[in-house]
Amino acid sequence: DAKSLSHGFALKSSKYTTLNVPKAVITEATGINNQGTIVLYWENSNHAFESSLYNGSTYTTIDVPGATNTQAWDIDNNGDVVYQWSDAKGTHGALRQQGKYYKFDDSHGVGATYGFGINDHSQIVGSYVASGFQGFEATY
């Protein structure tokens, strides 16, 4: 927009709907399932990232417990959500399944694991930072 802020959107039948979490500085929509539930992350006024589900009328916060930053990236048709999240020890992956959170770190990673996608068989894809590597490597 005119202030260089990001807004999420949904596109259905050539119609765009802007998605802005109330009180968010920016909103990024990152996944949608067949029921139309949208997962997104957003920046709050303290410049930390939080995550929410949007069901077409209500935003529900779904932050990973204990995280200083939470970025939800994808949602499957069961409503399971995959994340990257951070704390003082680094960046990690997480799965929210039936309201319960499962945190994970790739065994090859050195403090940076990113969960980016999930399918309806609870298979997760993402990336990790390996020791001595200056970029990202894919894992599954």
Side-chain angles (χ1 to χ4, degrees), residues 6-89:
S6 296
H7 305 273
F9 71 86
L11 173 62
K12 182 178 180 182
S13 302
S14 301
K15 182 183 178 215
Y16 283 94
T17 301
T18 300
L19 304 174
N20 288 315
V21 175
K23 299 183 183 178
V25 178
I26 66 166
T27 299
E28 302 281 340
T30 55
I32 187 170
N33 64 17
N34 290 346
Q35 291 81 32
T37 303
I38 297 170
V39 67
L40 34 77
Y41 69 87
W42 48 282
E43 185 178 351
N44 65 28
S45 60
N46 295 323
H47 303 290
F49 288 107
E50 298 192 50
S51 295
S52 292
L53 293 174
Y54 181 67
N55 65 7
S57 62
T58 304
Y59 293 94
T60 303
T61 302
I62 53 165
D63 292 338
V64 175
T68 55
N69 285 287
T70 298
Q71 291 173 281
W73 283 100
D74 202 11
I75 185 169
D76 67 11
N77 289 319
N78 299 313
D80 302 333
V81 177
V82 67
Y83 300 82
Q84 80 177 54
W85 64 279
S86 59
D87 62 10
K89 295 179 183 177

Side-chain angles (χ1 to χ4, degrees), residues 108-110 112 128-135 137:
H108 300 99
V110 289
Y128 65 89
V129 176
S131 177
F133 188 74
Q134 298 298 314
E137 294 184 27

Side-chain angles (χ1 to χ4, degrees), residues 103-114:
K103 300 174 180 178
F104 60 88
D105 287 299
D106 189 289
S107 61
H108 300 99
V110 289
T113 298
Y114 306 88

